[in-house]
Amino acid sequence: MNYTGSGYEGAMKDDKMAGEGQYEFPSGTKYIGAFKDGTFHGNGTLHFKNGSTFSAVWENGIPQADTESGGNYKFKDGLDYSEGEWEYCDGYDRRFYTETLKGLKPAGRSQKVDKEPAPTIPKGWYDCGDGIYNPEKRIVFSYSDQKFIRNADGEEHKWIVTTCRRGSDFFVGKQYVPPTP
C-alpha cells in the first residue's frame, strides 16, 4: 500500500484487511474500525484532517443508512450534523455554534466567523471555512501555513466568491478613535 501513499495497521486474513484496524488515505484521512475482505465492514469512524469525523455501521465499504444511527457526521467543534432538525446558523437563528455555547458578544464586537479569533485573510482572498481561497489561482490553502488543500472547480469558485468572507485592505464598520488629551 505504500506505493499509493496509503497505509494500514491491523489484522489481516488471506492477505486482506480483516478484523480491527486503521487505514490511512494519502489525504491524511483515517478510518479506524472493522474490516472484512479488505473493505470497511462493521462499526468504524472516518477521521478527517480538519478534525471532523463520520461514524457509521459499514457494509462492504458503504455506510448503511438503514441502521439506527444512519451514520453521524461531527464537526471539529463537537457539533453533530442533523439533516432533519438542523438548528445551527439557519434562516431563523444566524448565530455561530460557538455563540450558542458561549453567548453573544457585546454590541460592536460581532463574531464574524465560528473560529475566534478570526483567521487573517490576505487582501482579495476568501475564507471558505476549511482554508483561505485565492480566486486568481482557484486554490484553497490552509489557514496557518498556506499549504495546498485543493483546486476549486467552477461551481465551488462561484459559491466561494458569492457567499464567503473576503479579505480586504480597508476597515468595514465603526473604528475606535481614542480621545485626544
Side-chain angles (χ1 to χ4, degrees):
M1 280 187 237
N2 290 336
Y3 64 89
T4 65
S6 57
Y8 175 73
E9 291 180 17
M12 301 283 281
K13 182 179 179 185
D14 298 327
D15 291 327
K16 294 180 184 175
M17 298 176 286
E20 294 296 314
Q22 176 176 314
Y23 181 87
E24 184 169 353
F25 293 89
S27 65
T29 298
K30 293 179 185 175
Y31 171 83
I32 300 173
F35 292 85
K36 180 181 176 187
D37 292 328
T39 64
F40 305 164
H41 194 86
N43 291 315
T45 301
L46 285 167
H47 298 263
F48 300 99
K49 271 182 77 172
N50 67 5
S52 59
T53 60
F54 179 75
S55 299
V57 175
W58 302 78
E59 190 171 314
N60 298 317
I62 300 170
Q64 298 304 295
D66 60 342
T67 61
E68 188 176 310
S69 71
N72 179 44
Y73 183 85
K74 186 176 284 215
F75 292 93
K76 172 170 98 173
D77 60 10
L79 174 69
D80 285 315
Y81 175 75
S82 173
E83 192 171 330
E85 297 181 20
W86 186 247
E87 296 178 1
Y88 171 61
C89 208
D90 64 15
Y92 299 104
D93 184 355
R94 300 299 300 168
R95 293 179 296 165
F96 290 107
Y97 182 60
T98 52
E99 290 175 314
T100 65
L101 296 175
K102 300 176 185 174
L104 296 172
K105 294 189 181 302
R109 291 197 295 159
S110 297
Q111 192 166 327
K112 295 178 185 173
V113 296
D114 196 43
K115 301 175 225 49
E116 284 293 323
T120 303
I121 306 169
K123 177 183 172 186
W125 291 32
Y126 295 83
D127 179 356
C128 60
D130 64 341
I132 50 178
Y133 177 66
N134 180 332
E136 291 176 12
K137 295 182 178 181
R138 293 190 175 204
I139 297 175
V140 177
F141 296 94
S142 62
Y143 290 113
S144 58
D145 51 10
Q146 294 192 2
K147 287 187 177 177
F148 174 85
I149 295 179
R150 69 178 175 283
N151 291 312
D153 62 16
E155 187 176 320
E156 185 179 21
H157 170 80
K158 183 178 178 182
W159 180 83
I160 290 171
V161 299
T162 57
T163 60
C164 294
R165 187 170 70 96
R166 183 174 185 257
S168 179
D169 60 345
F170 59 91
F171 183 83
V172 178
K174 184 173 175 146
Q175 282 185 305
Y176 173 75
V177 179
T180 54

